[in-house]
Amino acid sequence: MPQNFNNHKRFSPPYHFFTVPLIFTGLGFSVYAFVKTPDLTHGLIVLAFLLIGIIGLFARFFSLRVQDRAARADERLRYYILTGKMLPATLRMGQILALRFASDEEFATLVDQTLAEQLSPTEIKKAIKNWRGDYHRI
């Protein structure tokens, strides 16, 4: 299915709909058990679920940062190829990530418009006429 503004958000069902709810459920039950019977075993189980949750959040955070860096490099190269100039340094990461959906024909113009009007990422995505899908980022 071709990507557009309405369907471009992606989820990983095993992560978003299984792992995360399972961690929160386990944390909730372990906190409940600890409150009901505060002992070392229940405290360690709460600590274990907290650590699993923190590790899961950091794993997600770090992988998104790597994807952001790769997308920024891609868009810098694309802008240079299309215009012969460096991508303006004043663009924020969210704006760059939104601009990656613009087709080559409207990319440079949309960069200029974004700088002039300080468009938000959502406004950038809504301004795109010819959507260029990103089927790899989750």
Side-chain angles (χ1 to χ4, degrees), residues 58-71:
F58 274 113
R60 179 77 176 137
F61 176 76
F62 294 153
S63 65
L64 285 176
R65 291 299 152 255
V66 170
Q67 289 183 48
D68 290 350
R69 290 183 65 157

Side-chain angles (χ1 to χ4, degrees), residues 40-86:
L40 181 61
T41 303
H42 288 116
L44 290 175
I45 293 171
V46 169
L47 181 61
F49 272 105
L50 281 173
L51 290 174
I52 290 168
I54 290 169
I55 290 168
L57 287 173
F58 274 113
R60 179 77 176 137
F61 176 76
F62 294 153
S63 65
L64 285 176
R65 291 299 152 255
V66 170
Q67 289 183 48
D68 290 350
R69 290 183 65 157
R72 180 178 52 219
D74 286 346
E75 298 315 305
R76 289 178 71 188
L77 177 61
R78 181 163 77 127
Y79 189 79
Y80 185 80
I81 289 170
L82 293 172
T83 66
K85 299 183 285 184
M86 296 294 291

